[in-house]
Amino acid sequence: MQLGIGLGIWFGVFLALGAGRAAAEPPPPPPTDAPPPQPSPESRKTREFNIAPLVGGNSDIGAGIGQISNVSGLGPGIEPYRWQLESSGFISFLPHDGGVVVPLQDYFVAFHLPDLGAHHVRFDVRASYTLEKTLLFYGIGNASKVPAGGPSDDTEFGRLHPALSIQGRVPVYRDVYVNAGSVTSYNRLDVPATSILASYATQGPADARPFIGPFTAHTTEVLALGVQYDTRDHEIDTRNGQFHAAQVRYSPKIGSALPYGYERVTLIARVYRGVTDRVTLSARLVGDVVLGDAPFYELARYEETPAIGGINAVRGVPAYRYYGKVKAFGNLEARSDLFGFHLFGKKLKLGAAAFFDAGRTWTELLHAHPDLDGTGVGLKYGIGGGLRLQQGATFVLRADLAYSPDARPVGAYFTANQIF
C-alpha cells in the first residue's frame, strides 16, 4: 500500500507538471515604422569557450582536482549551438597506510552535432578513460547492509574501463525521434582476495552468487535502439516541455571476445514547467531492467552511470551502493534564477535548486528475493539543495549537497550540466 501511494504521488506530480497550459495570445506586431531590432553582442558571437576548475572529493575518493570545459560554435537562431567540443579531466588523492593512493582518474572528450544535414540528425561521439579503485560492494539486493565497523578496504574493488560511445538521433514525426548507438568498453577488474566481493562469489547467499561472474578482463559491445519524445524549449536551460525516452540495449555474447550476453530496457520520463519567470519545477521517473547474463557491475548502473546513488541519480546515497537487475527512482527539483552578471566579458547567471530524490532496487524481475531485497518499501532517498552557474548559452555548473540515511555524513557533488 505504501509503495502504491508513493507511485501515485510521483505520477500525480507528473500529471500536474505535464498538463498543458492555455495557449498564450500572440504578442502584437511591432509598429511598421519601428526600426528593425539590432542583434545583441551575445547573439553576434560565433564561438563560445567555457572552462571551470574542479576541486572536490569525498570520503570514498579523497580530494581531487581537474577541469571541465567546452567550446561551442554558435549562430543566430541556432539553439543551443551548431557544434560543441567538450572535455574533462579529474584525478583524486587519498591518504592510506602512511602513503597516498589515487582512487579515481576520469578523463573524457566528446563532440556533439545537434542538427546535422537536411534530415536534422543529431550525432554524438565520446571517448573516455576511467580508473576507479574504491568502488563499493556490500552485497546484492536492496537490503544489503554496511559491515560492522563501516566501510573498509574489504568493501572496495577496482575497475578500469576505457570506452567509446557513438550515438545518433533522427526525427521521424514532429517531436518524435529514433535514436541508435553503440558503446564499446574494455573492463579490467581489481578484486582483492580478502574483499567482500571475492568471498561473495563463493560464500554469498545461494540466490545471489549466480549474479557474480568471473573477475577476468573482458570487452563488452552494447548496441542501443530507442525512441524519444522531446518538446523542451532549450536543451541546456530548460524551462518548459517534456522529454521522454524508451531504449533497448543488447550486448551479444561472442565467445571469449565478448563473454557477456544480456539485454537492458530503460524507460525515462521528464517534465519541466516554468511556474514564474525565474522558477522552474522539474520531475523525472526512471525504470531500468537488466535481463540475461550481465557483468555484476552493471547491476548498480543505468545509462553508463551509477543508479540509486551517485551524482546522476539519487544524490546522497553513495555510488555503487545497491546492486540489482531492476531499478526505479525519481527526482523532483525546483530551480530558481537568482541574478545575472558579467565577468571578464562573459555573461553568467547564478541560480539555486532544491531537490528530493528517491528510489530502490530489486534483485531481478519476476522473482522475489525477500532475503536480499527485504519485504518493506525499502525506499532510498536524498534531500538537499545546491547552486547553478550558467556560463554563456551552453555551459552549466552545478554544486549540490544532499542528506541521506546512507550518506557519510552528506553527499557533495560538483559537475557540469543539470542532473536531467
Side-chain angles (χ1 to χ4, degrees):
M1 174 63 72
Q2 290 175 306
L3 181 59
I5 294 174
L7 291 176
I9 293 173
W10 282 114
F11 281 105
V13 170
F14 263 85
L15 289 174
L17 293 181
R21 289 178 169 179
E25 291 293 329
T32 56
D33 58 347
Q38 297 299 312
S40 67
E42 291 292 330
S43 67
R44 291 197 297 265
K45 293 171 61 177
T46 60
R47 190 169 297 173
E48 179 178 277
F49 175 70
N50 301 286
I51 187 169
L54 294 179
V55 180
N58 57 45
S59 59
D60 295 326
I61 65 170
I65 58 174
Q67 68 84 30
I68 187 162
S69 59
N70 71 15
V71 57
S72 305
L74 307 179
I78 303 296
E79 295 289 349
Y81 46 78
R82 292 183 183 273
W83 56 266
Q84 184 181 87
L85 182 64
E86 182 183 12
S87 72
S88 177
F90 186 82
I91 183 170
S92 69
F93 305 91
L94 181 69
H96 183 71
D97 290 339
V100 176
V101 297
V102 179
L104 173 66
Q105 295 183 61
D106 188 27
Y107 315 99
F108 78 82
V109 59
F111 184 66
H112 310 287
L113 286 170
D115 194 356
L116 180 64
H119 297 288
H120 304 289
V121 174
R122 181 185 179 100
F123 179 76
D124 303 277
V125 59
R126 185 180 191 271
S128 63
Y129 175 94
T130 307
L131 175 59
E132 300 165 289
K133 293 187 176 180
T134 56
L135 298 178
L136 296 175
F137 184 85
Y138 301 148
I140 298 291
N142 199 66
S144 60
K145 303 294 185 182
V146 177
S152 67
D153 289 351
D154 290 340
T155 65
E156 298 172 351
F157 70 97
R159 178 177 172 232
L160 168 70
H161 52 108
L164 176 65
S165 169
I166 301 174
Q167 307 289 331
R169 187 179 89 162
V170 60
V172 293
Y173 178 74
R174 293 186 178 177
D175 299 313
V176 179
Y177 303 82
V178 169
N179 66 294
S182 165
V183 179
T184 306
S185 65
Y186 169 78
N187 300 269
R188 191 179 71 204
L189 301 172
D190 179 16
V191 182
T194 59
S195 66
I196 292 176
L197 178 57
S199 64
Y200 210 85
T202 57
Q203 304 174 34
D207 52 349
R209 288 198 298 268
F211 301 109
I212 308 298
F215 304 132
T216 54
H218 59 275
T219 300
T220 60
E221 171 65 35
V222 178
L223 307 174
L225 181 65
V227 61
Q228 298 177 348
Y229 176 72
D230 189 355
T231 65
R232 292 174 295 174
D233 56 357
H234 195 277
E235 180 180 331
I236 307 299
D237 186 20
T238 308
R239 298 306 180 94
N240 287 286
Q242 303 180 40
F243 183 26
H244 311 311
Q247 187 176 70
V248 177
R249 297 187 177 196
Y250 170 65
S251 178
K253 181 176 182 179
I254 306 176
S256 59
L258 300 173
Y260 291 97
Y262 65 97
E263 301 80 36
R264 165 171 255 135
V265 179
T266 306
L267 303 175
I268 305 176
R270 310 170 185 88
V271 176
Y272 309 85
R273 169 59 59 85
V275 293
T276 72
D277 290 341
R278 291 180 175 267
V279 178
T280 301
L281 298 181
S282 54
R284 176 178 68 169
L285 278 176
V286 178
D288 185 82
V289 178
V290 175
L291 305 169
D293 180 26
F296 77 92
Y297 51 80
E298 288 295 344
L299 276 60
R301 290 157 38 99
Y302 87 105
E303 286 201 330
E304 316 302 324
T305 190
I308 318 300
I311 196 168
N312 292 317
V314 181
R315 288 159 287 189
V317 179
Y320 289 88
R321 172 62 183 88
Y322 294 99
Y323 291 71
K325 285 191 168 183
V326 181
K327 293 164 282 290
F329 64 89
N331 313 90
L332 295 175
E333 187 163 287
R335 304 167 187 164
S336 176
D337 295 338
L338 299 179
F339 56 86
F341 60 101
H342 285 78
L343 184 64
F344 303 120
K346 184 179 293 292
K347 184 179 179 180
L348 294 97
K349 180 173 62 177
L350 183 66
F355 57 83
F356 176 74
D357 306 333
R360 67 160 292 165
T361 186
W362 293 265
T363 299
E364 61 180 328
L365 188 67
L366 303 179
H367 291 84
H369 294 270
D371 54 329
L372 302 178
D373 297 328
T375 57
V377 175
L379 203 64
K380 316 301 177 185
Y381 68 89
I383 184 170
L387 296 176
R388 305 291 184 267
L389 180 64
Q390 182 171 336
Q391 300 183 29
T394 65
F395 194 60
V396 175
L397 292 171
R398 63 179 169 100
D400 289 329
L401 286 175
Y403 164 78
S404 169
D406 288 292
R408 304 187 305 272
V410 296
Y413 310 97
F414 182 57
T415 188
N417 301 320
Q418 303 284 9
I419 186 172
F420 64 92

